[in-house]
Amino acid sequence: MRTSPEEKVLLADAYQVKLEKQQLNPADTAFAIQRGLAKARARRTTSGIPIKWITAVLITAITAACLLLGPYRGIMIPQTTAVEPIQDWGVLEPFRKLAETDIDRESMESAINNGYVQFVNRSVRTGVYQLNIDAIMADENRITVLYTAKTDDSQEIYNVNSARITDGVTHRKLDNGNVGGTQLGKGMHTLHGRETIDIDRANPLPEKLLLDFQIASVDPGKLDDPQIGTKVSEMHYSDRLKMTLDLDPKFSVPQTEVLELNKLFTVGGYEVMLSEVEISPLVTRARFIYEPEKEIDYQTKLKISDAVNPVKIVSTTKDGKQIELSSVGGAGTEDGMIYSFSSNLLDDPQSLVLKLRAPGKVYNDLQEAEREMIKLEIK
């Protein structure tokens, strides 16, 4: 069965709705809402899908996700926060606060603590706006850019509403729109952010990157207006802020591990296979095949996707330390889904266990919910 690009988009969006509900504890909810609103304000296109049609489908997906996840209300499984790193992040210390609220914090912390980072500290300015590229992290599957956006007292930063990353030699667009980033304001005129994109490891890692960003701002005092962002006339935008950078050759050294597993299990009355797990320094990807050896239609694929609830990967390092790698996204494939998680490959994990929430069950406490999870050993 072939999955159209539109269906892949809807599967990914439906998964993101489910991800936000199952992953956030009450303390994180406000941040998630703000981040979601910022994404919605920044998004200007819908990949060619008619807006009314995709809105209707997403409303249906949201309703279904709420019904499916209803039994877990009030006993959300909290995320384990990694032990505060001993290492001083130096010039990247402002991004420690960003990491605390970042869904992909484990990857960022692991990379910085292990020195898997390229320090840049270069700026470009246009008018009252300035963008500083602080650092870059990259591997065969993912590129992450840490940046600081600034403006003067005449404007307040709303967000970095657009970020494009291109191969500086071939001019091939690298961003596939699957990951995005997060931002954390400091006062009204400074914003720290992370932009992350997935790349295809079948292609060589670029030697140069062309970064192309745009900053959105409002007049002083407008950030406190609950209606801000709804009126185009109130928004101000910088000219495109562009910079070309040489990527550190150390990132081109292959480190990705691919584990062929082909583990079958049953969930929600459906047979599912965890076919392989791909681990690189910045991302862990788990590929699931729905009803192997069978032809299934799109509606069945949606039902199976609703039943498959990957929550986290528990990583145990050689010193016995356990870290929970958060689920950070998902994308539809021809025969199932690929779910992405944070990675701590650089910490040399000795075991990895993928945990999925069993669908349709009501639990009395967190301990019971944890015991009932489906556990799949990766390594």
Side-chain angles (χ1 to χ4, degrees):
M1 181 197 72
R2 296 190 61 81
T3 303
S4 69
E6 292 82 3
E7 290 173 346
K8 291 180 181 179
V9 168
L10 293 175
L11 279 168
D13 284 340
Y15 174 69
Q16 189 64 30
V17 170
K18 182 168 64 176
L19 175 64
E20 294 286 358
K21 286 190 67 64
Q22 73 183 22
Q23 187 159 15
L24 296 176
N25 57 40
D28 294 331
T29 303
F31 171 74
I33 292 173
Q34 293 168 0
R35 180 163 54 88
L37 288 173
K39 283 184 178 181
R41 290 164 182 156
R43 186 173 295 175
R44 292 290 180 265
T45 65
T46 56
S47 301
I49 302 174
I51 292 177
K52 291 183 178 179
W53 179 70
I54 192 170
T55 301
V57 175
L58 286 177
I59 289 174
T60 302
I62 292 170
T63 303
C66 291
L67 291 173
L68 284 167
L69 295 169
Y72 305 101
R73 233 173 350 198
I75 61 164
M76 302 296 260
I77 298 175
Q79 294 296 302
T80 297
T81 301
V83 176
E84 186 73 10
I86 297 175
Q87 292 91 338
D88 180 3
W89 285 14
V91 295
L92 297 183
E93 193 63 31
F95 292 91
R96 190 188 296 274
K97 189 69 175 178
L98 177 71
E100 290 174 0
T101 57
D102 195 333
I103 192 174
D104 197 24
R105 57 187 172 270
E106 292 90 0
S107 296
M108 187 189 301
E109 289 176 351
S110 177
I112 294 176
N113 290 333
N114 284 281
Y116 193 76
V117 60
Q118 174 182 346
F119 296 97
V120 179
N121 192 27
R122 283 182 53 193
S123 296
V124 59
R125 180 186 293 274
T126 175
V128 301
Y129 304 97
Q130 177 179 311
L131 178 76
N132 190 79
I133 302 301
D134 297 271
I136 293 177
M137 295 167 277
D139 62 26
E140 296 175 283
N141 297 308
R142 184 163 284 194
I143 296 174
T144 293
V145 178
L146 302 181
Y147 62 83
T148 302
K150 294 182 179 181
T151 187
D152 66 12
D153 292 344
S154 68
Q155 290 288 290
E156 296 175 354
I157 294 182
Y158 182 63
N159 65 7
V160 172
N161 72 303
S162 175
R164 305 168 185 165
I165 303 180
T166 305
D167 187 318
V169 176
T170 66
H171 302 291
R172 175 172 53 90
K173 184 180 178 183
L174 300 176
D175 186 0
N176 62 8
N178 282 346
V179 182
T182 187
Q183 301 168 7
L184 184 70
K186 182 180 179 182
M188 300 280 188
H189 311 291
T190 301
L191 179 150
H192 299 293
R194 166 188 65 84
E195 184 68 21
T196 295
I197 61 167
D198 277 342
I199 57 178
D200 186 352
R201 70 185 183 92
N203 298 316
L205 191 66
E207 297 178 2
K208 292 180 180 289
L209 296 179
L210 172 60
L211 308 179
D212 183 347
F213 285 50
Q214 186 177 55
I215 300 172
S217 66
V218 293
D219 292 334
K222 283 291 185 179
L223 284 182
D224 294 329
D225 185 350
Q227 300 299 316
I228 193 63
T230 61
K231 297 180 181 179
V232 176
S233 60
E234 294 180 343
M235 302 300 298
H236 305 282
Y237 301 95
S238 71
D239 292 335
R240 306 299 306 190
L241 294 147
K242 299 181 181 182
M243 184 185 304
T244 300
L245 300 171
D246 291 328
L247 197 60
D248 194 320
K250 69 182 177 183
F251 295 135
S252 63
V253 178
Q255 298 194 52
T256 302
E257 297 180 9
V258 179
L259 306 176
E260 299 288 344
L261 301 175
N262 296 327
K263 292 193 173 185
L264 282 170
F265 63 100
T266 301
V267 58
Y270 299 101
E271 189 174 68
V272 178
M273 175 188 287
L274 174 59
S275 63
E276 69 176 31
V277 174
E278 185 175 296
I279 312 167
S280 64
L282 300 180
V283 64
T284 304
R285 291 174 178 161
R287 176 169 185 150
F288 289 86
I289 297 176
Y290 299 159
E291 291 286 358
E293 310 300 330
K294 290 185 180 179
E295 285 287 334
I296 57 174
D297 58 23
Y298 176 63
Q299 291 301 321
T300 302
K301 180 179 280 191
L302 274 180
K303 291 178 182 177
I304 300 175
S305 182
D306 285 337
V308 177
N309 286 281
V311 177
K312 59 192 175 184
I313 294 176
V314 178
S315 169
T316 305
T317 58
K318 57 186 176 183
D319 58 1
K321 176 181 171 183
Q322 286 194 341
I323 297 175
E324 293 185 0
L325 305 177
S326 306
S327 177
V328 297
T333 64
E334 296 296 323
D335 49 15
M337 289 277 288
I338 293 178
Y339 295 95
S340 297
F341 301 81
S342 297
S343 174
N344 72 329
L345 176 65
L346 299 172
D347 300 325
D348 191 21
Q350 301 301 294
S351 75
L352 296 170
V353 178
L354 175 60
K355 293 189 176 183
L356 301 90
R357 181 172 295 141
K361 291 190 177 182
V362 179
Y363 302 105
N364 296 320
D365 53 50
L366 291 172
Q367 290 73 23
E368 182 184 359
E370 181 73 20
R371 286 194 302 269
E372 291 294 318
M373 279 190 175
I374 300 170
K375 301 175 181 65
L376 302 174
E377 183 176 332
I378 296 173
K379 65 180 289 189

PDB file of all heavy atoms in Angstrom, residues 257 259 261 263 274 277 279 284 313-316 344-345 347-354 376-379:
ATOM      1  N   GLU A 257      24.404   3.956  14.292  1.00  0.00           N
ATOM      2  CA  GLU A 257      24.229   2.526  14.480  1.00  0.00           C
ATOM      3  C   GLU A 257      22.834   2.133  13.988  1.00  0.00           C
ATOM      4  O   GLU A 257      21.854   2.785  14.336  1.00  0.00           O
ATOM      5  CB  GLU A 257      24.361   2.142  15.954  1.00  0.00           C
ATOM      6  CG  GLU A 257      25.721   2.421  16.567  1.00  0.00           C
ATOM      7  CD  GLU A 257      25.773   2.017  18.031  1.00  0.00           C
ATOM      8  OE1 GLU A 257      24.809   1.363  18.514  1.00  0.00           O
ATOM      9  OE2 GLU A 257      26.762   2.350  18.701  1.00  0.00           O
ATOM     10  N   LEU A 259      20.250  -1.017  14.058  1.00  0.00           N
ATOM     11  CA  LEU A 259      19.983  -2.313  14.687  1.00  0.00           C
ATOM     12  C   LEU A 259      18.752  -2.945  14.046  1.00  0.00           C
ATOM     13  O   LEU A 259      17.651  -2.400  14.125  1.00  0.00           O
ATOM     14  CB  LEU A 259      19.752  -2.128  16.194  1.00  0.00           C
ATOM     15  CG  LEU A 259      20.862  -1.387  16.952  1.00  0.00           C
ATOM     16  CD1 LEU A 259      20.457  -1.187  18.407  1.00  0.00           C
ATOM     17  CD2 LEU A 259      22.170  -2.148  16.863  1.00  0.00           C
ATOM     18  N   LEU A 261      15.943  -5.436  14.177  1.00  0.00           N
ATOM     19  CA  LEU A 261      15.303  -6.117  15.299  1.00  0.00           C
ATOM     20  C   LEU A 261      14.186  -7.072  14.877  1.00  0.00           C
ATOM     21  O   LEU A 261      14.121  -8.204  15.331  1.00  0.00           O
ATOM     22  CB  LEU A 261      14.750  -5.079  16.287  1.00  0.00           C
ATOM     23  CG  LEU A 261      15.793  -4.115  16.881  1.00  0.00           C
ATOM     24  CD1 LEU A 261      15.106  -3.072  17.743  1.00  0.00           C
ATOM     25  CD2 LEU A 261      16.815  -4.872  17.697  1.00  0.00           C
ATOM     26  N   LYS A 263      11.035  -7.252  15.718  1.00  0.00           N
ATOM     27  CA  LYS A 263      10.307  -7.756  16.883  1.00  0.00           C
ATOM     28  C   LYS A 263       8.810  -7.562  16.690  1.00  0.00           C
ATOM     29  O   LYS A 263       8.330  -6.439  16.482  1.00  0.00           O
ATOM     30  CB  LYS A 263      10.768  -7.033  18.149  1.00  0.00           C
ATOM     31  CG  LYS A 263      12.191  -7.363  18.542  1.00  0.00           C
ATOM     32  CD  LYS A 263      12.490  -6.893  19.954  1.00  0.00           C
ATOM     33  CE  LYS A 263      13.864  -7.387  20.394  1.00  0.00           C
ATOM     34  NZ  LYS A 263      14.145  -7.066  21.797  1.00  0.00           N
ATOM     35  N   LEU A 274       8.440  -3.938  15.315  1.00  0.00           N
ATOM     36  CA  LEU A 274       9.532  -2.982  15.458  1.00  0.00           C
ATOM     37  C   LEU A 274      10.664  -3.517  14.588  1.00  0.00           C
ATOM     38  O   LEU A 274      11.392  -4.427  14.972  1.00  0.00           O
ATOM     39  CB  LEU A 274       9.970  -2.875  16.920  1.00  0.00           C
ATOM     40  CG  LEU A 274      11.208  -2.009  17.194  1.00  0.00           C
ATOM     41  CD1 LEU A 274      11.008  -0.574  16.723  1.00  0.00           C
ATOM     42  CD2 LEU A 274      11.571  -2.049  18.676  1.00  0.00           C
ATOM     43  N   VAL A 277      15.941   0.026  14.550  1.00  0.00           N
ATOM     44  CA  VAL A 277      16.187   1.255  15.295  1.00  0.00           C
ATOM     45  C   VAL A 277      17.508   1.827  14.811  1.00  0.00           C
ATOM     46  O   VAL A 277      18.509   1.119  14.714  1.00  0.00           O
ATOM     47  CB  VAL A 277      16.230   1.010  16.813  1.00  0.00           C
ATOM     48  CG1 VAL A 277      16.643   2.286  17.547  1.00  0.00           C
ATOM     49  CG2 VAL A 277      14.864   0.543  17.320  1.00  0.00           C
ATOM     50  N   ILE A 279      20.336   4.790  15.457  1.00  0.00           N
ATOM     51  CA  ILE A 279      20.811   5.658  16.540  1.00  0.00           C
ATOM     52  C   ILE A 279      21.995   6.478  16.048  1.00  0.00           C
ATOM     53  O   ILE A 279      22.999   5.932  15.587  1.00  0.00           O
ATOM     54  CB  ILE A 279      21.246   4.836  17.763  1.00  0.00           C
ATOM     55  CG1 ILE A 279      20.185   3.792  18.132  1.00  0.00           C
ATOM     56  CG2 ILE A 279      21.511   5.748  18.951  1.00  0.00           C
ATOM     57  CD1 ILE A 279      20.692   2.758  19.118  1.00  0.00           C
ATOM     58  N   THR A 284      17.320   9.309  17.738  1.00  0.00           N
ATOM     59  CA  THR A 284      17.069   7.870  17.698  1.00  0.00           C
ATOM     60  C   THR A 284      15.763   7.659  16.942  1.00  0.00           C
ATOM     61  O   THR A 284      14.755   8.288  17.264  1.00  0.00           O
ATOM     62  CB  THR A 284      16.938   7.287  19.118  1.00  0.00           C
ATOM     63  OG1 THR A 284      18.112   7.607  19.870  1.00  0.00           O
ATOM     64  CG2 THR A 284      16.754   5.782  19.073  1.00  0.00           C
ATOM     65  N   ILE A 313      12.273   6.076  25.478  1.00  0.00           N
ATOM     66  CA  ILE A 313      13.299   5.026  25.495  1.00  0.00           C
ATOM     67  C   ILE A 313      14.103   5.220  26.773  1.00  0.00           C
ATOM     68  O   ILE A 313      14.593   6.325  27.038  1.00  0.00           O
ATOM     69  CB  ILE A 313      14.219   5.105  24.264  1.00  0.00           C
ATOM     70  CG1 ILE A 313      13.435   4.797  22.985  1.00  0.00           C
ATOM     71  CG2 ILE A 313      15.390   4.144  24.409  1.00  0.00           C
ATOM     72  CD1 ILE A 313      14.248   4.948  21.711  1.00  0.00           C
ATOM     73  N   VAL A 314      14.210   4.175  27.562  1.00  0.00           N
ATOM     74  CA  VAL A 314      15.011   4.243  28.779  1.00  0.00           C
ATOM     75  C   VAL A 314      16.425   3.783  28.445  1.00  0.00           C
ATOM     76  O   VAL A 314      16.642   2.646  28.026  1.00  0.00           O
ATOM     77  CB  VAL A 314      14.415   3.380  29.898  1.00  0.00           C
ATOM     78  CG1 VAL A 314      15.304   3.440  31.141  1.00  0.00           C
ATOM     79  CG2 VAL A 314      13.003   3.856  30.244  1.00  0.00           C
ATOM     80  N   SER A 315      17.371   4.693  28.609  1.00  0.00           N
ATOM     81  CA  SER A 315      18.771   4.419  28.308  1.00  0.00           C
ATOM     82  C   SER A 315      19.548   4.239  29.605  1.00  0.00           C
ATOM     83  O   SER A 315      19.425   5.055  30.532  1.00  0.00           O
ATOM     84  CB  SER A 315      19.365   5.588  27.504  1.00  0.00           C
ATOM     85  OG  SER A 315      20.761   5.479  27.401  1.00  0.00           O
ATOM     86  N   THR A 316      20.343   3.177  29.673  1.00  0.00           N
ATOM     87  CA  THR A 316      21.183   2.927  30.841  1.00  0.00           C
ATOM     88  C   THR A 316      22.639   2.957  30.403  1.00  0.00           C
ATOM     89  O   THR A 316      23.053   2.188  29.527  1.00  0.00           O
ATOM     90  CB  THR A 316      20.871   1.568  31.486  1.00  0.00           C
ATOM     91  OG1 THR A 316      19.479   1.503  31.802  1.00  0.00           O
ATOM     92  CG2 THR A 316      21.682   1.378  32.761  1.00  0.00           C
ATOM     93  N   ASN A 344      21.256   9.744  23.360  1.00  0.00           N
ATOM     94  CA  ASN A 344      22.459   9.959  24.169  1.00  0.00           C
ATOM     95  C   ASN A 344      23.533   8.951  23.757  1.00  0.00           C
ATOM     96  O   ASN A 344      24.255   8.410  24.586  1.00  0.00           O
ATOM     97  CB  ASN A 344      22.158   9.884  25.665  1.00  0.00           C
ATOM     98  CG  ASN A 344      21.871   8.463  26.139  1.00  0.00           C
ATOM     99  OD1 ASN A 344      21.342   7.637  25.389  1.00  0.00           O
ATOM    100  ND2 ASN A 344      22.211   8.179  27.392  1.00  0.00           N
ATOM    101  N   LEU A 345      23.630   8.717  22.449  1.00  0.00           N
ATOM    102  CA  LEU A 345      24.619   7.780  21.915  1.00  0.00           C
ATOM    103  C   LEU A 345      26.021   8.120  22.400  1.00  0.00           C
ATOM    104  O   LEU A 345      26.835   7.224  22.667  1.00  0.00           O
ATOM    105  CB  LEU A 345      24.570   7.798  20.385  1.00  0.00           C
ATOM    106  CG  LEU A 345      25.625   6.945  19.658  1.00  0.00           C
ATOM    107  CD1 LEU A 345      25.412   5.466  19.953  1.00  0.00           C
ATOM    108  CD2 LEU A 345      25.587   7.202  18.154  1.00  0.00           C
ATOM    109  N   ASP A 347      26.957   9.122  25.159  1.00  0.00           N
ATOM    110  CA  ASP A 347      27.165   8.698  26.540  1.00  0.00           C
ATOM    111  C   ASP A 347      27.419   7.198  26.640  1.00  0.00           C
ATOM    112  O   ASP A 347      27.498   6.660  27.750  1.00  0.00           O
ATOM    113  CB  ASP A 347      25.956   9.069  27.398  1.00  0.00           C
ATOM    114  CG  ASP A 347      25.702  10.570  27.421  1.00  0.00           C
ATOM    115  OD1 ASP A 347      26.688  11.333  27.388  1.00  0.00           O
ATOM    116  OD2 ASP A 347      24.526  10.978  27.463  1.00  0.00           O
ATOM    117  N   ASP A 348      27.501   6.518  25.495  1.00  0.00           N
ATOM    118  CA  ASP A 348      27.783   5.086  25.436  1.00  0.00           C
ATOM    119  C   ASP A 348      26.761   4.252  26.218  1.00  0.00           C
ATOM    120  O   ASP A 348      27.114   3.551  27.175  1.00  0.00           O
ATOM    121  CB  ASP A 348      29.191   4.804  25.960  1.00  0.00           C
ATOM    122  CG  ASP A 348      29.630   3.369  25.665  1.00  0.00           C
ATOM    123  OD1 ASP A 348      29.055   2.746  24.755  1.00  0.00           O
ATOM    124  OD2 ASP A 348      30.551   2.878  26.347  1.00  0.00           O
ATOM    125  N   PRO A 349      25.476   4.317  25.832  1.00  0.00           N
ATOM    126  CA  PRO A 349      24.459   3.523  26.546  1.00  0.00           C
ATOM    127  C   PRO A 349      24.698   2.027  26.384  1.00  0.00           C
ATOM    128  O   PRO A 349      24.998   1.557  25.295  1.00  0.00           O
ATOM    129  CB  PRO A 349      23.150   3.951  25.880  1.00  0.00           C
ATOM    130  CG  PRO A 349      23.540   4.439  24.524  1.00  0.00           C
ATOM    131  CD  PRO A 349      24.895   5.059  24.700  1.00  0.00           C
ATOM    132  N   GLN A 350      24.550   1.308  27.490  1.00  0.00           N
ATOM    133  CA  GLN A 350      24.743  -0.141  27.474  1.00  0.00           C
ATOM    134  C   GLN A 350      23.447  -0.877  27.173  1.00  0.00           C
ATOM    135  O   GLN A 350      23.460  -2.019  26.721  1.00  0.00           O
ATOM    136  CB  GLN A 350      25.298  -0.603  28.819  1.00  0.00           C
ATOM    137  CG  GLN A 350      26.620   0.054  29.174  1.00  0.00           C
ATOM    138  CD  GLN A 350      27.707  -0.208  28.139  1.00  0.00           C
ATOM    139  OE1 GLN A 350      28.128  -1.347  27.966  1.00  0.00           O
ATOM    140  NE2 GLN A 350      28.159   0.827  27.450  1.00  0.00           N
ATOM    141  N   SER A 351      22.316  -0.253  27.458  1.00  0.00           N
ATOM    142  CA  SER A 351      21.017  -0.852  27.133  1.00  0.00           C
ATOM    143  C   SER A 351      20.029   0.240  26.777  1.00  0.00           C
ATOM    144  O   SER A 351      20.116   1.362  27.286  1.00  0.00           O
ATOM    145  CB  SER A 351      20.498  -1.693  28.304  1.00  0.00           C
ATOM    146  OG  SER A 351      20.013  -0.867  29.342  1.00  0.00           O
ATOM    147  N   LEU A 352      19.100  -0.106  25.897  1.00  0.00           N
ATOM    148  CA  LEU A 352      18.025   0.787  25.481  1.00  0.00           C
ATOM    149  C   LEU A 352      16.732  -0.020  25.469  1.00  0.00           C
ATOM    150  O   LEU A 352      16.667  -1.082  24.848  1.00  0.00           O
ATOM    151  CB  LEU A 352      18.283   1.357  24.088  1.00  0.00           C
ATOM    152  CG  LEU A 352      19.507   2.267  23.906  1.00  0.00           C
ATOM    153  CD1 LEU A 352      19.751   2.539  22.428  1.00  0.00           C
ATOM    154  CD2 LEU A 352      19.322   3.580  24.664  1.00  0.00           C
ATOM    155  N   VAL A 353      15.717   0.481  26.152  1.00  0.00           N
ATOM    156  CA  VAL A 353      14.425  -0.201  26.208  1.00  0.00           C
ATOM    157  C   VAL A 353      13.336   0.779  25.786  1.00  0.00           C
ATOM    158  O   VAL A 353      13.166   1.838  26.408  1.00  0.00           O
ATOM    159  CB  VAL A 353      14.122  -0.743  27.620  1.00  0.00           C
ATOM    160  CG1 VAL A 353      12.744  -1.402  27.651  1.00  0.00           C
ATOM    161  CG2 VAL A 353      15.196  -1.737  28.052  1.00  0.00           C
ATOM    162  N   LEU A 354      12.618   0.427  24.729  1.00  0.00           N
ATOM    163  CA  LEU A 354      11.529   1.259  24.238  1.00  0.00           C
ATOM    164  C   LEU A 354      10.258   0.905  24.993  1.00  0.00           C
ATOM    165  O   LEU A 354       9.908  -0.263  25.140  1.00  0.00           O
ATOM    166  CB  LEU A 354      11.325   1.028  22.736  1.00  0.00           C
ATOM    167  CG  LEU A 354      10.143   1.723  22.056  1.00  0.00           C
ATOM    168  CD1 LEU A 354      10.253   3.225  22.180  1.00  0.00           C
ATOM    169  CD2 LEU A 354      10.061   1.310  20.595  1.00  0.00           C
ATOM    170  N   LEU A 376       9.990  -3.079  24.880  1.00  0.00           N
ATOM    171  CA  LEU A 376      10.710  -3.703  23.777  1.00  0.00           C
ATOM    172  C   LEU A 376      12.191  -3.402  23.917  1.00  0.00           C
ATOM    173  O   LEU A 376      12.616  -2.246  23.866  1.00  0.00           O
ATOM    174  CB  LEU A 376      10.200  -3.178  22.427  1.00  0.00           C
ATOM    175  CG  LEU A 376       8.707  -3.381  22.134  1.00  0.00           C
ATOM    176  CD1 LEU A 376       8.328  -2.680  20.828  1.00  0.00           C
ATOM    177  CD2 LEU A 376       8.360  -4.850  22.053  1.00  0.00           C
ATOM    178  N   GLU A 377      12.986  -4.447  24.088  1.00  0.00           N
ATOM    179  CA  GLU A 377      14.414  -4.247  24.264  1.00  0.00           C
ATOM    180  C   GLU A 377      15.076  -3.964  22.916  1.00  0.00           C
ATOM    181  O   GLU A 377      14.931  -4.719  21.952  1.00  0.00           O
ATOM    182  CB  GLU A 377      15.042  -5.498  24.887  1.00  0.00           C
ATOM    183  CG  GLU A 377      16.533  -5.352  25.177  1.00  0.00           C
ATOM    184  CD  GLU A 377      17.110  -6.570  25.873  1.00  0.00           C
ATOM    185  OE1 GLU A 377      16.354  -7.267  26.602  1.00  0.00           O
ATOM    186  OE2 GLU A 377      18.312  -6.840  25.668  1.00  0.00           O
ATOM    187  N   ILE A 378      15.815  -2.870  22.868  1.00  0.00           N
ATOM    188  CA  ILE A 378      16.516  -2.483  21.649  1.00  0.00           C
ATOM    189  C   ILE A 378      17.937  -3.026  21.669  1.00  0.00           C
ATOM    190  O   ILE A 378      18.434  -3.582  20.705  1.00  0.00           O
ATOM    191  CB  ILE A 378      16.532  -0.951  21.507  1.00  0.00           C
ATOM    192  CG1 ILE A 378      15.091  -0.417  21.348  1.00  0.00           C
ATOM    193  CG2 ILE A 378      17.402  -0.524  20.328  1.00  0.00           C
ATOM    194  CD1 ILE A 378      15.007   1.080  21.363  1.00  0.00           C
ATOM    195  N   LYS A 379      18.606  -2.865  22.797  1.00  0.00           N
ATOM    196  CA  LYS A 379      19.962  -3.401  22.956  1.00  0.00           C
ATOM    197  C   LYS A 379      20.250  -3.643  24.434  1.00  0.00           C
ATOM    198  O   LYS A 379      19.526  -3.121  25.277  1.00  0.00           O
ATOM    199  CB  LYS A 379      21.006  -2.466  22.353  1.00  0.00           C
ATOM    200  CG  LYS A 379      21.135  -1.103  23.037  1.00  0.00           C
ATOM    201  CD  LYS A 379      22.176  -0.230  22.392  1.00  0.00           C
ATOM    202  CE  LYS A 379      23.586  -0.738  22.669  1.00  0.00           C
ATOM    203  NZ  LYS A 379      24.636   0.204  22.225  1.00  0.00           N
TER     204      LYS A 379
END
